[in-house]
């Protein structure tokens, strides 16, 4: 499954919408995805499974890349 992770670069940053970044990562569950990125020091705001029409939409974005770990 593909998940979209919304995060801040630093765990010490206060979440501000304009500074929120996203990445896509493959995983079995939200818990699995969180464990894969735990060592990066991100302040994770939200992890969302991407399927169906939403995935099709994201695939059209030129910045779409899936992290594999």
């Amino acid at each position: 499954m593909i998940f979209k992770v919304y995060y801040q670069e630093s765990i010490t940053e206060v979440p501000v919408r304009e500074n929120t970044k996203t990445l896509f990562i493959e995983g079995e569950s939200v818990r699995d995805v969180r464990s894969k990125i735990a060592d990066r020091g991100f302040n994770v705001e939200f992890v969302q499974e991407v399927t169906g029409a939403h995935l099709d939409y994201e695939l059209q974005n030129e910045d779409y890349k899936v992290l594999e770990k």
Side-chain angles (χ1 to χ4, degrees):
M1 291 184 281
I2 304 293
F3 290 87
K4 186 173 186 177
V5 179
Y6 298 84
Y7 69 96
Q8 302 292 318
E9 288 275 319
S10 171
I11 194 98
T12 59
E13 275 187 52
V14 175
V16 177
R17 183 180 306 167
E18 292 78 16
N19 296 336
T20 299
K21 299 185 183 205
T22 59
L23 63 87
F24 295 91
I25 190 165
E26 241 180 278
E28 296 296 316
S29 65
V30 171
R31 176 181 254 175
D32 181 41
V33 169
R34 286 183 176 270
S35 69
K36 287 181 178 184
I37 60 173
D39 62 339
R40 295 177 183 246
F42 292 156
N43 183 3
V44 177
E45 295 178 37
F46 187 64
V47 179
Q48 176 183 23
E49 184 179 354
V50 182
T51 60
H54 187 177
L55 181 58
D56 293 339
Y57 174 78
E58 295 292 355
L59 287 170
Q60 295 174 12
N61 186 347
E62 63 188 37
D63 295 329
Y64 177 82
K65 293 179 194 158
V66 177
L67 289 180
E68 295 176 321
K69 191 169 183 185

